[in-house]
Amino acid sequence: MKLIDGKYRQLLPTDSYLGDEVIMAQAWKKTHAYMRTHNWYADTLALDVSALNSENNAKKWAKSAIDESVQLYRLELVGHAVN
């Protein structure tokens, strides 16, 4: 018995995948883990609070990702100090 749906075996950059709450939840989990291990200045309390409501947030983010009425911000480069 296969536990993973076949559509998740090869992800594509399409609206159907971007609007999928399962994929959005996995992206959040990966980001959450990265922030905890690589950012010494991360607000761990805020990360813990966001984890409590991650299922509802993933649904909301997936819907907003494909909603054409949502205004996106322009991409900005955030620099860092070099020692």
Side-chain angles (χ1 to χ4, degrees):
M1 181 167 98
K2 295 182 181 176
L3 298 176
I4 300 173
D5 191 341
K7 75 177 187 177
Y8 298 120
R9 296 197 186 278
Q10 182 178 0
L11 301 179
L12 301 171
T14 62
D15 289 347
S16 63
Y17 284 103
L18 188 59
D20 190 321
E21 64 188 67
V22 173
I23 293 172
M24 192 63 72
Q26 291 300 317
W28 176 86
K29 286 170 65 175
K30 191 169 190 169
T31 303
H32 184 263
Y34 182 87
M35 289 177 64
R36 281 197 177 275
T37 56
H38 292 87
N39 294 342
W40 60 268
Y41 52 85
D43 184 353
T44 55
L45 179 59
L47 290 172
D48 291 341
V49 170
S50 69
L52 295 174
N53 201 19
S54 62
E55 185 176 348
N56 292 332
N57 284 338
K59 290 177 185 177
K60 183 172 47 174
W61 295 330
K63 286 180 184 175
S64 69
I66 58 174
D67 185 2
E68 293 183 12
S69 67
V70 173
Q71 286 287 78
L72 300 177
Y73 294 101
R74 291 180 48 88
L75 185 62
E76 296 179 19
L77 178 62
V78 178
H80 65 282
V82 178
N83 294 336

